[in-house]
Amino acid sequence: MKNINWNNKEEVLEEVKKDGSKLILASKELKNDFDVVMEAVKNFSWCIEDAGEKARDNRDIIKEVLKKNSTYIEYASDRLRDDDEIMGIALEKDHWNLRFASDRIKDNKDLLMSLIKKCSGVVKYASPRLQNDIDIIKECIKEYGTRIFEQL
């Protein structure tokens, strides 16, 4: 068995190309290295949980993660969870990802109206203002009847 130097970029790259879950063993510096983290998430998107803050704030890395599993938007930086494009990708794949969105996105009435058409239950992740908005309430009733309010 080969001894790996988890501080050595070339050795770590070789390992994460074979098994992305090995990112957890990489040095703190390499957990923020674009090349290392990108290779790791390409074959094991879950490892974004082990990536450093800088990597979790990288648009390209998060887009790669979202290709495979949109619920990992949870591990993206606050800045990216407030990004319309990034959250648009996550919400297109799974409307329940609204729970991970920024307060600003949770308060987007047009977005919420479109999500309600897929599943009115997402209203529970909307801002308090929109949960009490008459247009939102009417749309929920139109789409799902009054039973929606039993879930809130």
Side-chain angles (χ1 to χ4, degrees):
M1 186 168 173
K2 183 180 172 186
N3 250 349
I4 308 299
N5 177 352
W6 295 102
N7 294 302
N8 181 290
K9 182 175 178 175
E10 289 73 33
E11 290 184 37
V12 173
L13 263 172
E14 185 180 319
E15 290 301 308
V16 298
K17 281 180 184 178
K18 293 186 270 183
D19 181 358
S21 69
K22 291 187 177 178
L23 181 65
I24 196 170
L25 301 171
S27 68
K28 184 176 180 178
E29 179 184 334
L30 292 178
K31 287 180 180 180
N32 280 302
D33 182 272
F34 176 84
D35 298 325
V36 170
V37 177
M38 182 61 88
E39 283 302 323
V41 300
K42 279 182 180 177
N43 68 51
F44 195 66
S45 58
W46 171 85
C47 72
I48 191 63
E49 183 178 3
D50 298 315
E53 286 182 34
K54 182 179 172 187
R56 291 180 188 205
D57 192 48
N58 183 287
R59 295 174 65 80
D60 294 327
I61 288 173
I62 295 302
K63 281 182 177 182
E64 184 65 32
V65 168
L66 295 177
K67 285 180 187 177
K68 296 187 170 98
N69 190 328
S70 66
T71 60
Y72 293 150
I73 189 66
E74 172 183 8
Y75 299 107
S77 67
D78 290 345
R79 181 182 73 86
L80 292 181
R81 286 187 283 129
D82 187 49
D83 182 282
D84 292 323
E85 179 190 11
I86 296 293
M87 282 310 300
I89 294 168
L91 291 167
E92 185 177 307
K93 291 181 175 258
D94 186 345
H95 52 273
W96 292 108
N97 285 328
L98 184 62
R99 69 188 183 270
F100 303 121
S102 68
D103 290 344
R104 181 187 67 82
I105 290 178
K106 289 177 180 179
D107 197 50
N108 180 320
K109 186 173 179 176
D110 292 334
L111 173 65
L112 188 59
M113 291 291 266
S114 70
L115 293 175
I116 288 170
K117 292 179 186 338
K118 296 177 184 174
C119 179
S120 64
V122 299
V123 107
K124 71 181 172 183
Y125 298 115
S127 68
R129 180 184 76 85
L130 291 182
Q131 288 179 2
N132 293 303
D133 182 279
I134 192 66
D135 297 327
I136 298 292
I137 293 168
K138 285 179 182 177
E139 187 65 25
C140 286
I141 291 171
K142 179 179 125 190
E143 294 293 325
Y144 298 95
T146 57
R147 72 182 186 279
I148 183 57
F149 298 103
E150 296 167 10
Q151 298 175 11
L152 299 177

